[in-house]
Amino acid sequence: MAIKIDKKITGYNVVKPEDKLAATPVAAAPKEAPTAEVIQMHESVERPETLVGSTFKIKSPLFEHALYVTINDIVLNAGTKHELRRPFEIFINSKNMDHFQWIVALTRILSAVFRKGGDVTFIVEELKAVFDPRGGYFKAGGVYMPSIVAEIGGVIEQHMKNIGLIHDPEMDDATRKLIAEKRAAYEQAGAKKKADVTAAPVGAASAATAPSDTESNGFPPGATLCQKCNTQALVLMDGCQTCLNCGYSKCG
Ligand SMILES: [Zn+2]
């Protein structure tokens, strides 16, 4: 194959057989579909006209009116194997204007963090660790919320789980089995106690009211707060505090 050289030669290389082999795939690559550049999240990614999102309602005894938390997502590299849905902005709405200024500040900073790119999941733990000095409250299911900010953190965590940014640590089968066994043992012991009470004449009334107590959050009545999973599921078994939700045990 003859190649006409119409420019000044400024340098040269001798092509060896192995260079030719190595060069072939590279030369062929551009003929195939030009691989699109993978877009990562960074500050100058422009906001598309339309974003997809979710709105969560937060009802707290600390707030007179509900809070509505909206998180909108951007979908990067849509339709490719690099498709990634990331939170892009957050808004919080409420009828209650008492907390307006810090809510606006919080949402602006959170939105800025989302747009910075990189790993943004850390903000969940930061928010969930905020304690209200006036005290927190219990959610349905016996989960303790130390503050309204922590609950906003919980909502963001839920959203990040929904879009696949955070994955629940898979509870291994052994732990799950152990919790089920402990729970069964605890309930059996409770049933035995209840049967003894029912046998006594005064016990009839208390036995009748007992089931509704048990159903309140799925954990036995009188269960205390587990420090590990923030759920009211800690019971005393064989003289040892044991959590029926996450399996935590004071005795290891
Ligand atoms: Zn626990």
Side-chain angles (χ1 to χ4, degrees):
M1 186 170 69
I3 299 166
K4 195 184 171 213
I5 299 164
D6 47 14
K7 279 182 188 161
K8 211 173 170 185
I9 295 167
T10 53
Y12 71 90
N13 268 321
V14 177
V15 177
K16 294 183 210 104
E18 57 264 35
D19 289 341
K20 249 184 186 168
L21 276 173
T24 319
V26 178
K31 277 183 193 165
E32 291 168 16
T35 43
E37 201 189 327
V38 177
I39 299 167
Q40 303 285 355
M41 192 67 203
H42 56 84
E43 281 165 282
S44 47
V45 168
E46 273 189 41
R47 186 193 190 282
E49 286 291 310
T50 321
L51 292 175
V52 280
S54 311
T55 300
F56 298 80
K57 182 180 178 181
I58 295 178
K59 194 80 196 82
S60 152
L62 302 178
F63 266 51
E64 193 191 342
H65 298 287
L67 291 182
Y68 294 88
V69 181
T70 300
I71 305 167
N72 288 333
D73 304 324
I74 187 166
V75 181
L76 298 170
N77 313 300
T80 72
K81 64 174 178 166
H82 300 288
E83 185 170 308
L84 184 63
R85 188 166 164 174
R86 290 182 55 107
F88 189 82
E89 59 195 11
I90 179 167
F91 302 104
I92 300 177
N93 288 298
S94 178
K95 265 191 199 172
N96 192 341
M97 297 300 280
D98 297 350
H99 305 275
F100 187 72
Q101 60 168 332
W102 71 254
I103 284 179
V104 169
L106 184 70
T107 54
R108 285 190 189 170
I109 291 167
L110 287 174
S111 298
V113 170
F114 290 158
R115 286 179 212 146
K116 269 273 185 196
D119 184 10
V120 295
T121 57
F122 71 94
I123 57 166
V124 168
E125 292 311 315
E126 293 288 343
L127 297 178
K128 281 170 77 181
V130 173
F131 281 76
D132 190 329
R134 294 172 301 169
Y137 51 94
F138 281 97
K139 301 284 295 172
V143 178
Y144 182 71
M145 276 300 154
S147 67
I148 193 88
V149 173
E151 185 147 12
I152 293 169
V155 159
I156 296 172
E157 180 178 40
Q158 187 55 52
H159 182 75
M160 287 179 171
K161 279 180 185 170
N162 293 350
I163 65 173
L165 217 55
I166 294 181
H167 300 281
D168 259 329
E170 198 52 42
M171 193 187 275
D172 60 280
D173 287 343
T175 311
R176 203 171 293 154
K177 196 167 162 248
L178 190 75
I179 294 172
E181 280 171 7
K182 281 184 175 172
R183 189 159 188 158
Y186 185 84
E187 275 162 10
Q188 209 168 28
K192 194 169 168 276
K193 213 184 273 174
K194 206 177 281 172
D196 293 346
V197 172
T198 321
V202 282
S206 67
T209 55
S212 61
D213 286 353
T214 320
E215 298 307 316
S216 63
N217 61 21
F219 295 109
T224 54
L225 192 63
C226 167
Q227 296 300 322
K228 200 180 162 202
C229 66
N230 260 9
T231 305
Q232 232 172 348
L234 208 60
V235 294
L236 196 66
M237 285 183 73
D238 306 324
C240 187
Q241 294 280 2
T242 306
C243 178
L244 295 178
N245 185 51
C246 70
Y248 164 82
S249 168
K250 223 166 195 174
C251 316

